[in-house]
Amino acid sequence: MTLRSDGGGVLVGELSERDLAVLALEGRQWRTAGAKERAIREELGLSSTRYYQLLNALLDRPEALAHAPVLVNRLRRIREVRRAAR
């Protein structure tokens, strides 16, 4: 992640290649059980646990929202429903 100033003294990060790849993979449709987990390992070289940790952190970043607003807002809603159910 690189940081730049927004002109007001606040540092704003840019999404890394890995961040973009995580968002792209999450936005895909999956036809079979296990296909997503296999793609996470093969395409990103991450464990499923690490992938979901990165994804969860991305959901809180304004850069991710700006890049993929529909996906990020949908995932935020799902996350809030699950948190409320606990």
Side-chain angles (χ1 to χ4, degrees):
M1 175 176 76
T2 57
L3 297 176
R4 61 180 167 75
S5 174
D6 70 351
V10 176
L11 292 178
V12 178
E14 297 175 3
L15 295 176
S16 68
E17 297 263 337
R18 182 175 67 178
D19 295 338
L20 294 172
V22 166
L23 290 173
L25 195 133
E26 189 61 30
R28 284 200 226 154
Q29 298 293 319
W30 303 100
R31 295 179 188 220
T32 62
K36 183 176 181 180
E37 286 72 20
R38 189 169 38 259
I40 290 168
R41 280 191 313 274
E42 292 174 0
E43 295 177 26
L44 300 177
L46 299 170
S47 69
S48 292
T49 302
R50 183 65 183 140
Y51 170 82
Y52 286 109
Q53 288 171 341
L54 291 171
L55 178 61
N56 193 49
L58 272 172
L59 296 183
D60 295 325
R61 293 186 51 200
E63 301 88 354
L65 181 62
H67 178 76
V70 174
L71 175 65
V72 170
N73 281 325
R74 179 176 59 84
L75 294 172
R76 284 178 174 178
R77 282 191 307 272
I78 292 168
R79 180 175 67 178
E80 290 307 314
V81 167
R82 289 180 179 162
R83 282 182 178 169
R86 290 186 202 170

